[in-house]
Amino acid sequence: MVNLWPLVLDRSAWEQDQRSKAQDQRFTIHLLFTIYQFTAISFPTVAEKIRLMIVAGEPSGDAHAAALVRALRDLASDDQFDFFGATGPAMRAAGVETIVRSDNLAIMGIVEVARALPKFLSAFRDLKRAAVKNQPAAVVLVDWPEFNLRLAKTLHQRGLNVIYYISPQLWAWRSSRVRNIRRDVDLLLTILPFEPGWYAERGVKHVEFVGHPLAGEVSARYGREEFCSLHNLDHTRPIVSLLPGGRHKELQRILPPMLDGAVVVSQRRPDVQFVLVVAPSRSPEEAKEILAAHRKSAALMQRIRITHRETREALAASDAAAVASGTATLEAALLGTPLVIVYKESAINWHTLGRLIIAEHYGLVNLVAEKRIVTELMQNDLNGERLAAELIALLDKERNATLRAQLQDVVTRLGDQGASGRAAERVLAAVKECERR
């Protein structure tokens, strides 16, 4: 008789082993499920993108918006962003998807804007449509108030979170628009130190000063001697830079009286050398055409050096400068270059819009200083004689040194380096706060 008992025992042992393995597997699955359920640890998933709409129209706004985009990416390395909006070249280089190209919309003046009205209306519709479709976590509007305040109203009414970066200059003109900020903007980030106080006096509390984006960021790539060597200038003789602005109309209106001033200075101070600084948004050919049309073009051609995309290097190398009112005046201040602020508009724009200006000063340098430290030559005051007299006065060693010291106080008031980073922190915090609601 065959003994089957050993086989039965083996079978029993095998079944017990299988049951033990099954229990281990069930225990492991139960443990993993418990960990997943109660500690929220899970397998990695693709993070949802933070979608932001950014709208800038002016060249300076385009640059500040691009810096903000870069700062947001640096700040939130674990978050993925999807940027879209109205872009200039700097924003496109920073990777912002273009809904509207703002390059051709940086227009000032009643007649000029009226002519381009169809472009503005088309851009407005395209941006509104994109915002409604994409439902961004926030809409960041950068400067460009005539367009952006209207866009803020439309998008805020549709429930979108609106952040305004770089306050409209309501303290300068049409201050009644403060009600638009109160009603249509969830957070206002300002870059000038006096702005939060101005808004607070008018009942607007959601305002924060982040510092000026240029503070601590403006420097020349090389010094005076190298600049002079590159442009055949004598570094031992006085240098005066002429910065007529970044728009074609500014070149047409401001450069001719600047050239008139250069002629007068040359007659009284033959040792002075001139540098005509063409803005990055303009071409040297535009400036050369205006220079060639001047009555003293032959003499000026020999005395003036034209430079392009070297704004900061030219300012840093200069003993004095005539600068069109705008961001470049702050660049001059940050580089410590004594300057006179100039501007000239068309007659219709000046008489129609100029009278609406209520600010005590036109120039940003004087507004930040809260007193007149830099001479302002506006409209009819901008002529060859007046400009030459001011530039010659700035070349006086004592006057030059005094103004340099006053400009240092302006630099301090503009805040510490890293304004774009601080603005990015506030934007990201506002987005996350909105998500928690």
Side-chain angles (χ1 to χ4, degrees):
M1 182 177 181
V2 179
N3 185 6
L4 297 177
W5 188 245
L7 294 176
V8 172
L9 290 177
D10 289 345
R11 171 80 179 183
S12 177
W14 178 82
E15 289 177 348
Q16 186 176 356
D17 183 58
Q18 293 303 306
R19 284 196 295 270
S20 177
K21 288 181 178 180
Q23 287 175 350
D24 289 344
Q25 288 174 348
R26 286 195 295 272
F27 176 77
T28 302
I29 292 171
H30 176 74
L31 181 62
L32 288 173
F33 180 78
T34 301
I35 293 173
Y36 173 84
Q37 185 176 20
F38 293 103
T39 67
I41 296 176
S42 63
F43 294 105
T45 58
V46 178
E48 185 177 352
K49 286 188 176 182
I50 298 176
R51 186 176 292 118
L52 293 178
M53 178 174 177
I54 302 188
V55 178
E58 301 282 340
S60 59
D62 177 49
H64 294 324
L68 177 64
V69 166
R70 291 191 294 270
L72 279 165
R73 287 199 171 110
D74 291 341
L75 180 66
S77 56
D78 292 332
D79 291 321
Q80 293 179 314
F81 288 97
D82 184 8
F83 296 104
F84 68 95
T87 69
M91 289 174 68
R92 291 193 290 274
V96 180
E97 179 189 351
T98 299
I99 304 300
V100 168
R101 292 176 67 97
S102 60
D103 310 52
N104 298 322
L105 296 175
I107 300 169
M108 290 180 65
I110 297 172
V111 175
E112 293 85 350
V113 171
R115 287 172 180 163
L117 188 58
K119 290 183 181 180
F120 282 99
L121 292 174
S122 176
F124 191 92
R125 286 192 296 267
D126 290 345
L127 289 168
K128 181 176 73 172
R129 189 181 303 114
V132 172
K133 176 185 177 182
N134 294 323
Q135 289 295 301
V139 178
V140 182
L141 307 175
V142 184
D143 204 1
W144 208 25
E146 301 308 318
F147 187 93
N148 275 339
L149 284 177
R150 289 173 172 81
L151 191 60
K153 178 180 179 181
T154 296
L155 299 184
H156 198 264
Q157 286 175 342
R158 285 161 174 76
L160 292 172
N161 186 27
V162 176
I163 301 171
Y164 212 117
Y165 180 42
I166 304 180
S167 167
Q169 296 179 354
L170 306 187
W171 34 263
W173 71 310
R174 295 178 63 194
S175 59
S176 61
R177 293 177 294 172
V178 71
R179 64 175 177 266
N180 300 67
I181 297 292
R182 187 185 301 114
R183 180 191 64 208
D184 304 325
V185 174
D186 298 291
L187 175 64
L188 176 61
L189 301 176
T190 73
I191 64 172
L192 297 177
F194 60 85
E195 290 177 321
W198 186 91
Y199 278 105
E201 291 173 359
R202 288 152 183 82
V204 182
K205 305 297 184 182
H206 51 283
V207 182
E208 295 187 32
F209 171 61
V210 296
H212 200 283
L214 293 180
E217 302 291 342
V218 176
S219 62
R221 291 168 293 180
Y222 35 86
R224 177 180 172 114
E225 288 192 21
E226 185 173 349
F227 180 83
C228 289
S229 176
L230 288 170
H231 296 283
N232 194 26
L233 295 164
D234 184 348
H235 73 274
T236 66
R237 291 166 50 195
I239 299 172
V240 171
S241 280
L242 308 175
L243 285 76
R247 299 183 181 88
H248 181 67
K249 290 291 185 183
E250 288 174 336
L251 275 178
Q252 289 181 321
R253 296 182 183 125
I254 297 172
L255 183 53
M258 280 185 167
L259 297 176
D260 291 341
V263 169
V264 176
V265 171
S266 298
Q267 292 169 347
R268 298 175 186 174
R269 289 284 305 267
D271 59 326
V272 174
Q273 307 165 100
F274 291 92
V275 177
L276 172 53
V277 182
V278 180
S281 57
R282 304 263 57 92
S283 70
E285 286 67 31
E286 292 177 84
K288 288 176 182 177
E289 286 180 10
I290 296 171
L291 183 57
H294 194 273
R295 57 188 176 81
K296 296 282 188 178
S297 61
L300 287 169
M301 290 283 194
Q302 295 178 353
R303 301 189 65 86
I304 294 180
R305 301 291 182 267
I306 298 177
T307 181
H308 188 227
R309 300 187 184 279
E310 288 183 298
T311 299
R312 295 173 182 178
E313 290 71 34
L315 283 170
S318 297
D319 298 281
V323 186
S325 182
T327 303
T329 61
L330 287 183
E331 291 187 89
L334 289 162
L335 291 165
T337 304
L339 70 154
V340 52
I341 298 172
V342 303
Y343 207 78
K344 195 178 187 69
E345 258 292 355
S346 67
I348 186 171
N349 285 339
W350 185 256
H351 290 296
T352 305
L353 302 177
R355 67 181 63 184
L356 299 176
I357 297 174
I358 58 174
E360 186 176 354
H361 311 292
Y362 291 98
L364 286 170
V365 173
N366 293 328
L367 286 164
V368 174
E370 298 186 78
K371 60 183 179 180
R372 182 68 61 88
I373 64 171
V374 172
T375 299
E376 298 178 353
L377 298 179
M378 301 288 141
Q379 205 62 11
N380 294 333
D381 290 336
L382 176 56
N383 57 63
E385 284 291 336
R386 292 286 303 275
L387 180 58
E390 184 57 32
L391 289 172
I392 290 172
L394 286 176
L395 293 175
D396 175 76
K397 288 185 177 180
E398 185 175 346
R399 169 83 183 275
N400 196 280
T402 298
L403 185 49
R404 287 180 187 272
Q406 291 174 317
L407 291 176
Q408 186 55 49
D409 177 61
V410 171
V411 172
T412 302
R413 287 170 177 250
L414 288 173
D416 297 327
Q417 185 175 10
S420 296
R422 290 188 291 274
E425 289 174 358
R426 288 301 301 121
V427 168
L428 192 58
V431 167
K432 292 188 179 297
E433 182 180 342
C434 189
E435 287 176 349
R436 289 193 294 267
R437 292 174 188 169

